[in-house]
Amino acid sequence: MRNEAGGGRAAARGRAMPVEIKICGLSDEATLDAALDAGASHVGFVSFPKSPRHVDIPRARALADLARGRAAIAVLTVDADDAALDALVEAIDPDVLQLHGHETPERTAAVKARFDREVWKAIPVATADDLAAIALYQSVVDRVLFDAKPPKGAVLPGGNGVAFDWGLLAALDPSLRFVLSGGLTPENVAEAVARTRAPAVDVSSGVESAPGVKDQDRIRAFVRAVRSDG
């Protein structure tokens, strides 16, 4: 069996291990190198044509090959069918499949059963009621990822630069393996980690100079901010 990527399995929300950091939506070598050199634990590639961060399979494969062995590789998909996932897994061989659409618990479990790698499921959050989804997914995924619920009329399910009320996570089961996302930036991530005790964070738009354009300096600043808190 494939080893689990990263170290969030140690005492959730304790500090036995450093906070894991995923830089998502990478699309070129320079910003990928910036993320790797800064010490990101995970790098993510988006397979969703509506997103400004979308990369096609040949491009994602080339970037993944550069990252392999230096960070865990995640591929983000949105309601992808088996044929699409088969193609992505065959070409890119990711460590993590991140499901960011309307995948049901049954569909998520089927993806987990089909592929020998971690599966993360995004749960959009706006109010405390949204956290009821944890019970539906936590037994079928390796991690749940809390992202802000998209604004009304948004095209993208994530990467909208919107944060949610981190206080909603105060009563989480300390053993829950989760990833904090949604509106994180170099300026606010230390506070977010301190308030939520998140074992892992995921950033995309917060380290960009324009939609889909990653900024090397902001990537480095984000990682520094997380590490200074940890």
Side-chain angles (χ1 to χ4, degrees), residues 9 15 38 53 55 61 103 129 145 161 172 175 190 193 203 213 226-227:
R9 44 213 169 271
R15 284 295 178 263
R53 303 165 188 96
V55 289
R61 177 172 54 205
E103 298 89 356
D129 290 344
L145 182 147
L172 286 181
S175 68
V193 171
V203 66
V213 181
V226 176
R227 296 292 179 237

Side-chain angles (χ1 to χ4, degrees), residues 183-190 203 206-208 217-226:
L184 299 178
T185 68
E187 294 76 23
N188 69 13
V189 68
V203 66
V207 292
E208 292 180 344
D217 289 337
R218 289 189 66 76
I219 289 172
R220 297 184 190 103
F222 186 89
V223 176
R224 284 197 303 271
V226 176

Side-chain angles (χ1 to χ4, degrees), residues 59-168:
R59 185 67 173 152
R61 177 172 54 205
L63 293 171
D65 287 345
L66 294 174
R68 204 172 311 280
R70 299 181 64 190
I73 297 161
V75 171
L76 183 156
T77 66
V78 179
D79 299 315
D81 61 19
D82 283 349
L85 291 175
D86 285 343
L88 289 166
V89 170
E90 176 66 24
I92 301 168
D93 189 23
D95 300 289
V96 177
L97 289 173
Q98 181 174 325
L99 308 184
H100 222 96
H102 295 93
E103 298 89 356
T104 64
E106 294 75 19
R107 172 59 180 160
T108 302
V111 171
K112 177 65 178 172
R114 187 178 182 89
F115 300 103
D116 181 22
R117 56 212 71 225
E118 281 198 30
V119 172
W120 299 1
K121 178 67 183 83
I123 294 177
V125 178
T127 70
D129 290 344
D130 296 318
L131 299 182
I134 296 171
L136 303 177
Y137 288 99
Q138 68 181 117
S139 66
V140 297
V141 297
D142 296 278
R143 310 189 199 197
V144 295
L145 182 147
F146 297 118
D147 199 358
K149 187 168 286 188
K152 186 176 181 179
V155 174
L156 304 178
N160 293 296
V162 178
F164 63 92
D165 178 4
W166 302 320
L168 295 173

